[in-house]
Amino acid sequence: MDMKKMAGDKAAEYVKDGMVLGLGTGSTAYHLVNAVGALVKNGMNLRAIPTSKATEKQARELGIPLLTIDEVDHIDLAIDGVDEIDPAFNAIKGGGGALYREKVVATLADEVIWIMDESKLVDKIGAFHLPVEIAQYGSKQAMKKMEDFGFHPVLRVKDGATFVTDNGNYIADLHLGAGFDIADVKEKLAGIVGVLEHGLFLNMCKRMIVGTTAEGVKIIENASK
Ligand code: 5RP
């Protein structure tokens, strides 16, 4: 079976009746959303908050009852994909450009599960670019600051045009290299006007659910949660 589907299907086993659920974005979360749709079809009572317009559309088509982020004061469980994650549960997300909503949802959740195929497990994060959501207004200024810090930002382009997030902003993809100083980059980004959020999701998840070819689904629990 597809490793991403394995992980998405397994994660759906953690979804319980009555939950308010955060639904992630991307090709792994796609399988999760399908599995949650099946739970709803079989009579489970739950409500969900999607982390992107794409996930919202998929969830609506499956008949999953939806809430907006400002209609809730907490989320029971958020399940989402990742781009890279290290053994200390430090993750990079935002490859699909949904990092802002994903972070709002994850920080409001009592419990977070990241789902992935085995290629996402790394010793040190940073080989994958770090997505940063920036405001359109003054974006060149923010890009220059990131360039000055040596972050090698590249403004994301899709289908020949500057990529615009569901929130109407741009994405700068930083090329930092594996093993970059996470605390330093996080602090420097926080000081740049126009940076709205970054794709560092540090020690947020309670467990990773990993689809592997050799061992099927592997569950890695975070002892610190
Ligand atoms: C979207 C994300 C995704 O969760 C991340 O890019 C992983 O995607 P995929 O499951 O397609 O590999 O952060 O913003």
Side-chain angles (χ1 to χ4, degrees), residues 73-91:
D73 53 16
H74 87 291
I75 293 168
D76 294 299
L77 173 64
I79 306 173
D80 202 348
V82 292
D83 294 304
E84 275 187 337
I85 187 161
D86 72 14
F89 298 86
N90 295 316

Side-chain angles (χ1 to χ4, degrees), residues 130-178:
L130 174 65
V132 177
E133 183 148 348
I134 59 173
Q136 289 198 28
Y137 184 86
S139 58
K140 277 195 183 155
Q141 308 304 334
M143 291 292 285
K144 182 169 183 319
K145 290 275 183 209
M146 290 187 273
E147 192 65 63
D148 291 348
F149 281 133
F151 295 165
H152 308 294
V154 175
L155 197 63
R156 192 177 295 187
V157 169
K158 193 176 174 193
D159 302 328
T162 305
F163 176 81
V164 177
T165 70
D166 286 350
N167 316 304
N169 304 308
Y170 291 158
I171 296 281
D173 289 310
L174 311 189
H175 293 76
L176 301 165

